Amino acid sequence: MAMGMAVDTVGELGFPYWNPIRRRFSPDSPFFASGNVERELLAKQVALDLTQDEINHLQKFVETESRRISCPIVGCPERLKSLDHFEDHYNARHTASCSVCSRVYPTSRLLSIHISEAHDSFFQAKVARGYDMYECLVEGCGLKFKSYKARHRHLIDKHKFPSTFEFFKKTQLSKKRREKLQRQHVSRLKHEEDKEAASSDAMEVEDKASVDGLVSALSTLTTSDTTPSNVSFGRRHGRVLTFVPRSVHKEKRTESSSAPGPTN
Amino acid sequence: MADDGSASNRRDPIKSSVGHVAGQRRRQQAVTVAKERRELLVRAKRLCRVGTNGDVEDSLVENEMMIDEEQPILEAQASKSVEELKSAVQYQGKGAMQKRVTALRELRRILSKSEFPPVEAALSAGAIPLLVQCLSFGSPDEQLLESAWCLTNIAAGKPEETKALLPALPLLIAHLGEKSSAPVAEQCAWAIGNVAGEGEDLRNVLLSQGALPSLARMIFPDKGSTVRTAAWALSNLIKGPESKAAAQLVKVDGILDAIFRHLKKTDEETATEIAWIIVYLSALSDIATSMLLKGGILQLLIERLANSNSLQLLIPVLRSVGNFVAVDPKAILTILIREQNTEESIIGVLAKCLRSEHRVLKKEAAWVLSNIAAGSIEHKRMIHSTEVMPLLLRLLSTSPFDIRKEVAYVLGNLCVESAEGDRKPGIIQEHLVSIVRGGCLPGFIELVRSPDIEAARLGLQFIELVLRGMPNGEGPKLVEGEDGIDAMERFQFHENEELRVMANSLVDKYFGEDYGIDE
């Protein structure tokens, strides 16, 4: 029985294109579970004098019981009760944001690596003096390297990061993209402008772009065949589940996420 | 149930601490009770409160209160009643039959009073062997009926309790025969239905003991409560997941005729149970499926969908249609071509389900549509030209997650031709454009953000269609405008490698270095 989409027609990118196929489910498939529950509840409704409210409540209960959502972020063991809970968890735990350039990372470790490499002149000073400053991004590896390139090579050789991956992108973000970011982060506008205009610190720009690129093939991840060349390291904006304007939402979230509390 | 004895109702300030503990215990009990009640309600078994002979239990009253205080009393009564039944059964003298019936009736009453009959107590006191004895051939109808009724309710609860009926099964099955009186046969069918509802193992036992042909014959009459009960029991018996029972049923002489007859004419309650039989036949037996289709079942199902407003009936009817469509798209082609967009067309009734307030109907109707949309270009055009389009677009933004996912399948399927060989499946630009202009992008991007792998995959695949297929290279701008890039970047840290690669390849290809450079 075909369940969902098979990885069928795959083009030059290796992308599994949308291919319409019929989906058939067996009678005990979870797909039919809520209908089955509804059947049994309705059948007993008269005999046990259930109100429609009770039925709705029971339906909801049975559904949420069985369907916990596992957080899909690498290394995160959380299982959440509902989509809303998931969104809350994601925003509280996986959106560590850099106060300097507002980039967002899924773990505090990566955030701190970013901050050191991109915003810390002390870090740059040590690099200049030949210390092994560039940490391997894969948690638990522990190795450090003298240069960005060396770490990159290590990631490819040891941790199977894609070799076609280009770190040293001179790419500026497209003007369009920058404009959009400005619109959305008026308060951080100045930082952005300064960072991107400052051409003096070529190393930093390079680092930013390279760290940007790096993250796509992250931590415990193995082979990603292609990585976006100019994608930012982590997300820049908070995401919105309900349609609240981004800046408002993000501000709310960062306030509450500074001390990540216990999740459900 | 825990004994919540003394400090229950009195509000005595001196005993307040004790009362607090009792209150806690009662709350705990309430939680346990609530949980048991939920399990009871969700089971495929049914308690019998009103006998097949019309006898109504007169103390069918205040059930919630009973649990707390009267449960121990009920249990004591059960034990006592079984004891009396034992002596009644042993007694050989004058009026023996009346004694037995009286004792049985008493036990039956005790087992019918509350939502949680004292089954365990009855079993411990040794009810089953006695009840089996009372089922012996040649016993008067009343005795058979009361005994079967007791067994029905014993089997309506927990798995161990249902399994306790094993010794009684051969006799229960035997009394399904045509020589039995209708109420007796029906009550036995009810008990068997509960046993079948327990699980696959018990179903196999029933099947090997020959329950299926006898039950099947009971649905041949045109009407009566017996038909309904037997149909329900049959649906429990064939639900599988193995297909052998379904395959066996379809070979019973006259069964298909009975099914067609009932689907066409009978009252909604009976039609509901018949529809569930069709659900399982269509899901489990290819032979049944083709024979039913040949006989014109689809049209009858569509008529029921068009004319009924009973959720109980609509669920299995809709699901049957879904099963047929999933298996044999050619069958629906004839229906589709015949009448489009009328209330009684397949699209019309699916639209009605999409419009309904019931979650199950919306979800499964979208599933059916997605399978129709996976068909030929004519199928796709047919759906695209109807009233369902605005419904689908609205559902994509507003409905619960499981419905949105199904709707996504429909919309995507409408935009893509079925692939031939290894080539990239072609995009139907006209459909893609109208659906995107209808405002579907936010909904798909929402799916991309979802933790559900299947949904995220769908979202990414649709975004690819938009990026590739929108005219004048509008795709990237549109996707960016809805924060699609953001959503795709989320996958950098996602544990699923396939999704990471998919998202990254899209960003690379369409939002690469050159993106926006000319502006």
Side-chain angles (χ1 to χ4, degrees):
Chain A
M1 312 253 190
M3 302 283 276
M5 294 288 181
V7 179
D8 23 26
T9 44
V10 155
E12 68 276 7
L13 286 180
F15 191 94
Y17 300 108
W18 190 303
N19 186 23
I21 56 170
R22 270 176 293 124
R23 292 171 298 142
R24 186 181 187 187
F25 299 108
S26 76
D28 56 352
S29 158
F31 183 78
F32 291 134
S34 49
N36 292 339
V37 168
E38 191 80 34
R39 173 194 187 185
E40 303 305 339
L41 293 177
L42 288 169
K44 298 175 178 85
Q45 182 173 22
V46 170
L48 297 179
D49 201 20
L50 297 173
T51 62
Q52 189 56 48
D53 257 354
E54 276 187 280
I55 290 191
N56 292 339
H57 177 74
L58 281 160
Q59 261 284 33
K60 252 189 125 187
F61 189 92
V62 172
E63 278 168 22
T64 52
E65 275 275 283
S66 47
R67 222 198 329 198
R68 290 229 148 202
I69 297 170
S70 289
C71 180
I73 299 301
V74 175
C76 181
E78 288 291 326
R79 289 168 56 80
L80 291 321
K81 264 196 279 203
S82 75
L83 271 181
D84 285 341
H85 285 103
F86 167 70
E87 282 299 324
D88 288 345
H89 159 78
Y90 191 94
N91 288 320
R93 282 296 175 82
H94 298 303
T95 57
S97 77
C98 175
S99 50
V100 178
C101 67
S102 81
R103 284 194 172 88
V104 177
Y105 307 92
T107 66
S108 41
R109 176 172 175 268
L110 291 169
L111 172 61
S112 69
I113 290 178
H114 156 78
I115 290 175
S116 307
E117 298 182 1
H119 303 305
D120 186 0
S121 44
F122 182 66
F123 179 93
Q124 295 306 331
K126 296 206 87 175
V127 169
R129 270 191 247 125
Y131 288 93
D132 294 334
M133 295 301 292
Y134 289 92
E135 286 182 62
C136 173
L137 293 185
V138 179
E139 207 161 342
C141 177
L143 291 177
K144 296 194 189 205
F145 302 86
K146 284 200 180 29
S147 74
Y148 197 87
K149 265 208 182 99
R151 174 182 63 195
H152 171 42
R153 244 196 320 271
H154 163 78
L155 289 168
I156 293 176
D157 294 341
K158 186 79 187 297
H159 300 293
K160 310 273 191 285
F161 279 28
S163 54
T164 52
F165 183 70
E166 287 278 8
F167 288 158
F168 299 122
K169 284 292 170 194
K170 314 299 194 299
T171 319
Q172 293 278 19
L173 291 169
S174 70
K175 179 173 175 211
K176 197 176 168 125
R177 194 101 195 277
R178 272 181 285 142
E179 277 170 7
K180 179 169 191 206
L181 291 171
Q182 284 168 23
R183 274 198 303 275
Q184 288 178 355
H185 283 275
V186 176
S187 59
R188 297 186 170 94
L189 177 60
K190 200 162 190 321
H191 285 277
E192 292 277 22
E193 294 268 55
D194 289 351
K195 284 293 166 216
E196 291 177 1
S199 52
S200 50
D201 198 340
M203 178 81 96
E204 184 165 335
V205 171
E206 200 174 69
D207 269 351
K208 208 171 10 188
S210 55
V211 174
D212 286 354
L214 240 190
V215 182
S216 334
L218 202 39
S219 319
T220 54
L221 314 182
T222 51
T223 45
S224 306
D225 294 316
T226 57
T227 45
S229 42
N230 70 335
V231 80
S232 57
F233 185 167
R235 298 181 288 107
R236 285 181 194 275
H237 351 277
R239 71 153 254 77
V240 181
L241 187 59
T242 57
F243 299 105
V244 170
R246 278 191 183 280
S247 48
V248 174
H249 193 88
K250 177 89 205 297
E251 260 138 42
K252 259 200 325 203
R253 286 295 172 202
T254 46
E255 272 166 37
S256 61
S257 67
S258 50
T263 51
N264 281 343
Chain B
M1 301 280 174
D3 188 0
D4 197 4
S6 47
S8 36
N9 289 322
R10 301 295 212 91
R11 294 290 214 97
D12 195 328
I14 300 170
K15 290 192 183 140
S16 64
S17 59
V18 182
H20 171 65
V21 169
Q24 261 189 337
R25 249 193 302 162
R26 190 170 316 122
R27 264 190 294 284
Q28 196 126 335
Q29 201 177 70
V31 169
T32 320
V33 164
K35 182 164 183 260
E36 281 195 27
R37 188 157 188 268
R38 272 195 301 274
E39 284 169 1
L40 174 155
L41 288 171
V42 164
R43 270 180 215 133
K45 307 172 191 171
R46 299 180 186 179
L47 204 57
C48 179
R49 313 292 286 283
V50 176
T52 55
N53 59 359
D55 212 17
V56 182
E57 176 51 54
D58 17 86
S59 59
L60 267 190
V61 113
E62 333 110 19
N63 292 310
E64 300 81 32
M65 282 296 94
M66 292 197 81
I67 298 150
D68 201 27
E69 289 158 8
E70 302 203 17
Q71 193 63 18
I73 300 174
L74 213 50
E75 285 167 6
Q77 284 178 341
S79 303
K80 182 158 167 281
S81 168
V82 171
E83 284 303 318
E84 285 183 13
L85 179 60
K86 184 189 274 182
S87 62
V89 164
Q90 284 166 349
Y91 177 72
Q92 295 288 331
K94 202 160 93 164
M97 193 213 75
Q98 196 49 49
K99 255 177 106 87
R100 280 200 294 274
V101 170
T102 307
L104 281 169
R105 188 172 295 148
E106 183 53 29
L107 178 59
R108 176 262 287 174
R109 285 214 173 103
I110 293 166
L111 289 172
S112 312
K113 268 192 216 175
S114 100
E115 266 181 53
F116 301 99
V119 174
E120 214 181 302
L123 290 176
S124 314
I128 296 285
L130 298 166
L131 292 170
V132 172
Q133 256 190 286
C134 294
L135 280 181
S136 53
F137 293 121
S139 306
D141 276 356
E142 236 186 314
Q143 181 177 317
L144 295 172
L145 190 83
E146 296 290 352
S147 176
W149 190 337
C150 290
L151 288 166
T152 299
N153 287 355
I154 289 175
K158 306 188 185 133
E160 324 75 75
E161 296 167 0
T162 307
K163 288 190 184 112
L165 251 73
L166 273 169
L169 294 184
L171 281 167
L172 285 170
I173 294 173
H175 288 300
L176 295 176
E178 62 267 14
K179 295 289 187 345
S180 300
S181 77
V184 169
E186 187 182 345
Q187 195 61 62
C188 293
W190 197 322
I192 288 172
N194 278 346
V195 173
E198 166 47 43
E200 202 180 348
D201 293 336
L202 283 174
R203 287 197 273 277
N204 286 333
V205 172
L206 285 167
L207 288 168
S208 62
Q209 292 184 357
L212 193 140
S214 312
L215 266 183
R217 253 176 269 121
M218 286 171 75
I219 71 169
F220 287 178
D222 268 338
K223 52 187 162 69
S225 65
T226 309
V227 176
R228 184 167 63 244
T229 305
W232 163 70
L234 211 46
S235 74
N236 268 0
L237 191 57
I238 65 170
K239 63 169 49 159
E242 272 186 18
S243 59
K244 61 178 187 213
Q248 195 188 345
L249 179 62
V250 78
K251 295 195 190 106
V252 170
D253 225 358
I255 194 73
L256 289 178
D257 175 68
I259 289 176
F260 274 104
R261 227 187 321 126
H262 288 306
L263 186 62
K264 198 172 169 78
K265 280 186 277 176
T266 194
D267 63 274
E268 286 192 334
E269 284 173 333
T270 308
T272 298
E273 307 300 347
I274 297 284
W276 280 105
I277 293 180
I278 299 174
V279 164
Y280 292 115
L281 287 176
S282 59
L284 295 169
S285 163
D286 290 333
I287 299 178
T289 302
S290 61
M291 287 174 78
L292 287 166
L293 282 173
K294 253 189 227 122
I297 194 110
L298 218 36
Q299 193 53 45
L300 292 177
L301 291 168
I302 292 172
E303 276 166 23
R304 281 285 184 178
L305 281 174
N307 298 325
S308 167
N309 286 314
S310 151
L311 179 61
Q312 265 193 296
L313 176 58
L314 292 173
I315 291 177
V317 173
L318 176 62
R319 192 178 290 184
S320 300
V321 172
N323 287 340
F324 286 121
V325 167
V327 170
D328 188 350
K330 285 198 263 317
I332 54 164
L333 189 58
T334 48
I335 306 252
L336 270 183
I337 304 289
R338 197 185 313 155
E339 310 137 57
Q340 313 174 35
N341 219 11
T342 65
E343 263 170 28
E344 296 231 338
S345 72
I346 193 170
I347 303 289
V349 297
L350 291 173
K352 174 184 173 189
C353 293
L354 287 179
R355 259 185 241 114
S356 119
E357 52 173 349
H358 298 291
R359 209 165 141 161
V360 175
L361 293 181
K362 288 191 272 207
K363 173 182 163 184
E364 298 194 16
W367 164 59
V368 180
L369 277 167
S370 76
N371 282 340
I372 299 178
S376 69
I377 189 89
E378 286 79 26
H379 288 130
K380 295 177 217 270
R381 286 213 187 99
M382 208 151 287
I383 297 179
H384 187 254
S385 63
T386 68
E387 52 183 322
V388 300
M389 294 311 297
L391 287 174
L392 291 169
L393 288 165
R394 191 164 54 244
L395 286 170
L396 185 66
S397 339
T398 59
S399 57
F401 174 74
D402 49 354
I403 298 172
R404 278 188 279 131
K405 200 159 74 161
E406 298 308 312
V407 171
Y409 273 111
V410 186
L411 294 176
N413 286 352
L414 287 175
C415 296
V416 183
E417 295 169 348
S418 301
E420 287 162 39
D422 285 330
R423 280 184 286 126
K424 213 186 285 190
I427 293 178
I428 302 169
Q429 202 177 58
E430 184 197 331
H431 291 179
L432 180 65
V433 169
S434 79
I435 288 174
V436 169
R437 300 242 188 280
C440 72
L441 253 188
F444 275 100
I445 289 174
E446 186 72 33
L447 289 175
V448 170
R449 296 190 200 278
S450 142
D452 182 273
I453 302 287
E454 190 191 340
R457 201 168 186 277
L458 277 181
L460 287 173
Q461 286 176 312
F462 191 83
I463 288 179
E464 192 274 334
L465 295 177
V466 172
L467 293 170
R468 172 168 41 119
M470 288 301 280
N472 309 321
E474 284 173 59
K477 272 179 250 152
L478 289 168
V479 169
E480 182 186 17
E482 297 295 344
D483 292 324
I485 305 180
D486 233 26
M488 290 193 279
E489 287 176 354
R490 232 189 203 207
F491 288 96
Q492 293 172 35
F493 312 120
H494 202 284
E495 64 189 0
N496 183 295
E497 180 167 345
E498 189 197 18
L499 292 178
R500 280 203 314 273
V501 172
M502 283 169 75
N504 289 343
S505 64
L506 288 181
V507 172
D508 248 347
K509 178 162 185 190
Y510 293 99
F511 299 101
E513 292 181 35
D514 311 322
Y515 180 63
I517 277 273
D518 331 308
E519 320 230 339

